[in-house]
Amino acid sequence: MNDQFEPVIIGFTCNWCSYRAADLAGTARIKYPPNIRLIRLMCSGRMDPTFVLKALAEGADGVMITGCHPGECHYLDQNYKALRRVLLLRRTIGQMGIEPGRVKLVWASAAEGVRLAQEIGHFVEEIRDMGPLNWPGRLAAAHVNGHGRDDRLMPADMMLEEVPA
Amino acid sequence: MSKNGQAPKEKPKFAMYWAAACGGCEIAVLNIGEKILDVDANFDVVFWPVAMDAKYKDVEAMPDKSILLTLFNGGIRNEENEHMAKLLRQKSQILVAFGSCANEGCIPGLANLSSMQEVFNAAYESVSTENPQHIRPQFSYQVPEGMLTIPLFYPVLRTLDQVVDVDYFMPGCPPESHQIAAVIDLVIAVLHGEAELPPKGAVIGVGDSTVCEECQRARNIKKITKLVRIHEVAEVDPDLCLLEQGILCNGPATRSGCGARCPSVGAACIGCYGPAVGVVDYGARLMTAVASVIDSTEPDEIEAILDGIPDPAGTFYRFNLAHSLLHAARPAMEEVIG
Ligand code: SF4
Ligand code: SF4
Ligand code: FES
């Protein structure tokens, strides 16, 4: 159990329904995995893709965004904005070689503490299956191995075939 | 300018260098017309490979900080680029990251989406390349006379400020000639004690807003139900915001300074002036803007509209990938991680 990969997940919750749901889960002593670190925003519409990219670039393995159910956002329709941003962001990070499923959007009402706890649990398992993202480590390795290489060799499969004279 | 006649006796030294770049920045500097004579009148040009013959060893022999102003264009793609960046930093009082490549990686930085293997395949094996013997450059090669080496190619391109300390940032692909001329005027005015340098780290030769602010097209509340590419539009409205016509335009995220050149002639802004003031991640800002104006609340319908962006990473990070939060895609890093 000890050497099991424990994903680091950043959660952005809106201040109203979904944070209350998380709060409710807490006060009702409903257990959810400690892998998620919640950051409270006023609304899911405040979720700037920059936050998600920064989390991933700095070592998070996954990001969960939670907001009020469609039609119930306290700022009218901002959660639809969040939905469109997440759908677009998932396409872009897919091209960067990041599994789109590492970014997930969940709707939760203030009464849905149990469901939110379950969603968090599922997400942790999904990310565990995907394995560590380790973006800082990958980038550092590319810099160190690449920029400090002294073997002066091309990767083996890029080597020159003997050119006939 | 009349004051050019009284240039100081010992003229300050000027250098310009190209690393991983296309050469367009050099052309843009030459394109400032007769203003180039002011450069010659006020500066002693000591190193500028495109314009004069000088060797790297000449630069190595110069005293530290002996060059007043170096314009450095191009990203850091290989060992030689890195060596020259460090050398010119050491020899220069003022180092300017000049043009999009040095600032944010630009088009060469898009290779950060691909592995080294793919980059070399594209360069040496693509349909447009005739290479029947599959010759690839070797970083080192033994010949009877000894070992020949060429600079190592790095897996991930870096921007100038990711390698050395940079004093000023001048974006643009290339920087507009009138902006270059204005910066040169300023530096000359500083030399004559008539102006002060901007604070270190400043972005120079730009406006302080977005391309949209400079754009003359009419803007209304944007509601997009379809994203199209410009050639798919039968007739582009010459006066209406392109984004409102469903043509993806990078104006909302891009720094002003060019005078909205592209939208003014009917082409979408592709973002060559880099991030607007306060933008941390250029692509994130643009994704925010685009997602905000899509007029749908249904996931399937939203996805269908987003299908109108065939290459999101290439669109949102065309110039900025190497300076984005993620910096590179996984394949570019994977190869060396093994
Ligand atoms: S989005 Fe493009 S066309 Fe529209 S106002 Fe901005 S720069 Fe002009
Ligand atoms: S409109 Fe955009 S792409 Fe065109 S020159 Fe200006 S910043 Fe560059
Ligand atoms: S307030 Fe909860 S999503 Fe807007």
Side-chain angles (χ1 to χ4, degrees):
Chain A
M1 197 64 188
N2 273 348
D3 49 8
Q4 171 170 256
F5 158 56
E6 287 301 339
V8 173
I9 292 167
I10 303 296
F12 294 105
T13 72
C14 87
N15 185 43
W16 306 102
C17 304
S18 61
Y19 188 80
R20 307 248 153 130
D23 213 23
L24 179 68
T27 46
R29 299 186 162 271
I30 301 162
K31 285 214 163 57
Y32 60 85
N35 304 63
I36 190 159
R37 280 78 161 159
L38 294 182
I39 296 173
R40 182 159 38 152
L41 307 173
M42 283 310 282
C43 171
S44 65
R46 176 66 183 90
M47 191 280 304
D48 183 325
T50 309
F51 303 164
V52 180
L53 293 170
K54 192 155 195 283
L56 297 175
E58 293 187 3
D61 300 296
V63 175
M64 180 183 264
I65 299 121
T66 69
C68 312
H69 281 279
E72 288 171 18
C73 171
H74 292 57
Y75 306 92
L76 302 177
D77 53 3
Q78 296 299 307
N79 51 357
Y80 292 118
K81 250 184 207 172
L83 168 66
R84 297 192 292 261
R85 285 177 189 162
V86 166
L87 294 178
L88 183 50
L89 182 61
R90 285 164 58 120
R91 287 175 179 238
T92 307
I93 61 172
Q95 274 182 289
M96 303 291 288
I98 298 175
E99 298 86 345
R102 288 187 188 269
V103 178
K104 187 169 191 173
L105 180 63
V106 170
W107 306 133
S109 78
E112 291 179 311
V114 176
R115 216 196 96 236
L116 184 60
Q118 283 168 352
E119 290 281 0
I120 293 171
H122 289 155
F123 190 52
V124 170
E125 291 317 310
E126 282 163 24
I127 300 292
R128 210 193 298 279
D129 288 345
M130 288 181 213
L133 184 59
N134 188 18
W135 207 262
R138 286 173 202 277
L139 199 52
H143 288 326
V144 173
N145 298 352
H147 301 152
R149 252 169 33 229
D150 58 2
D151 53 11
R152 309 199 66 91
L153 285 178
M154 306 279 274
D157 50 355
M158 293 168 68
M159 288 298 281
L160 174 85
E161 297 163 24
E162 201 56 54
V163 181
Chain B
M1 284 197 336
S2 58
K3 47 186 174 283
N4 293 339
Q6 311 125 32
K9 274 211 189 79
E10 166 90 2
K11 288 195 284 187
K13 296 181 169 56
F14 169 90
M16 183 159 185
Y17 185 71
W18 47 14
C22 73
C25 282
E26 322 279 335
I27 304 301
V29 171
L30 296 174
N31 216 14
I32 60 179
E34 74 277 6
K35 186 75 72 185
I36 200 78
L37 299 176
D38 292 351
V39 175
D40 184 57
N42 285 277
F43 288 96
D44 184 9
V45 180
V46 290
F47 182 64
W48 190 0
V50 78
M52 62 180 282
D53 186 28
K55 303 286 181 247
Y56 292 173
K57 65 173 168 38
D58 300 335
V59 182
E60 281 154 14
M62 294 174 191
D64 287 356
K65 303 277 170 227
S66 60
I67 304 171
L68 177 70
L69 175 66
T70 294
L71 305 182
F72 191 103
N73 69 84
I76 310 303
R77 175 81 268 186
N78 67 20
E79 204 177 18
E80 179 186 26
N81 302 153
E82 182 171 8
H83 171 70
M84 289 309 291
K86 289 181 172 160
L87 181 64
L88 286 165
R89 171 67 284 180
Q90 190 188 338
K91 303 298 177 187
S92 312
Q93 289 175 42
I94 303 172
L95 179 67
V96 179
F98 187 86
S100 177
C101 291
N103 279 274
E104 22 169 18
C106 195
I107 307 300
L110 277 178
N112 282 2
L113 285 170
S114 309
S115 66
M116 249 160 84
Q117 177 75 59
E118 290 170 311
V119 171
F120 277 79
N121 284 349
Y124 296 102
E125 306 287 345
S126 59
V127 279
S128 61
T129 311
E130 174 138 354
N131 186 7
Q133 295 171 326
H134 308 293
I135 295 171
R136 295 285 178 99
Q138 299 303 291
F139 293 133
S140 62
Y141 197 68
Q142 187 68 51
V143 291
E145 293 81 5
M147 182 73 91
L148 295 178
T149 62
I150 58 170
L152 285 176
F153 185 87
Y154 295 157
V156 168
L157 180 142
R158 287 174 296 173
T159 61
L160 185 61
D161 74 336
Q162 288 163 353
V163 174
V164 295
D165 186 42
V166 171
D167 298 303
Y168 299 110
F169 300 88
M170 188 162 178
C173 180
E176 288 291 322
S177 293
H178 75 275
Q179 297 283 17
I180 301 172
V183 166
I184 287 172
D185 278 347
L186 172 70
V187 174
I188 291 172
V190 170
L191 288 179
H192 293 269
E194 294 156 7
E196 279 191 32
L197 283 172
K200 184 178 155 80
V203 183
I204 56 173
V206 293
D208 53 11
S209 183
T210 63
V211 170
C212 288
E213 282 301 308
E214 290 188 316
C215 179
Q216 299 301 312
R217 288 175 176 265
R219 279 176 284 161
N220 309 291
I221 293 178
K222 297 181 183 28
K223 282 183 180 297
I224 313 279
T225 51
K226 196 169 184 236
L227 281 164
V228 287
R229 297 167 86 185
I230 203 156
H231 60 269
E232 297 166 342
V233 184
E235 211 167 326
V236 180
D237 184 322
D239 303 315
L240 182 65
C241 164
L242 293 166
L243 197 48
E244 281 171 43
Q245 302 180 54
I247 299 159
L248 189 52
C249 181
N250 289 17
T254 307
R255 177 74 96 139
S256 58
C258 68
R261 269 194 167 239
C262 300
S264 70
V265 295
C269 171
I270 52 175
C272 84
Y273 257 73
V277 191
V279 172
V280 174
D281 187 279
Y282 179 88
R285 170 59 65 91
L286 202 53
M287 283 187 267
T288 301
V290 172
S292 299
V293 300
I294 289 176
D295 187 22
S296 172
T297 55
E298 288 304 319
D300 290 347
E301 196 180 33
I302 297 168
E303 294 281 20
I305 296 171
L306 293 179
D307 284 342
I309 311 172
D311 174 16
T315 305
F316 297 126
Y317 291 106
R318 186 174 316 210
F319 293 92
N320 192 258
L321 186 62
H323 215 271
S324 69
L325 284 167
L326 292 177
H327 191 153
R330 214 139 133 188
M333 304 183 277
E334 220 87 296
E335 190 145 336
V336 284
I337 216 171

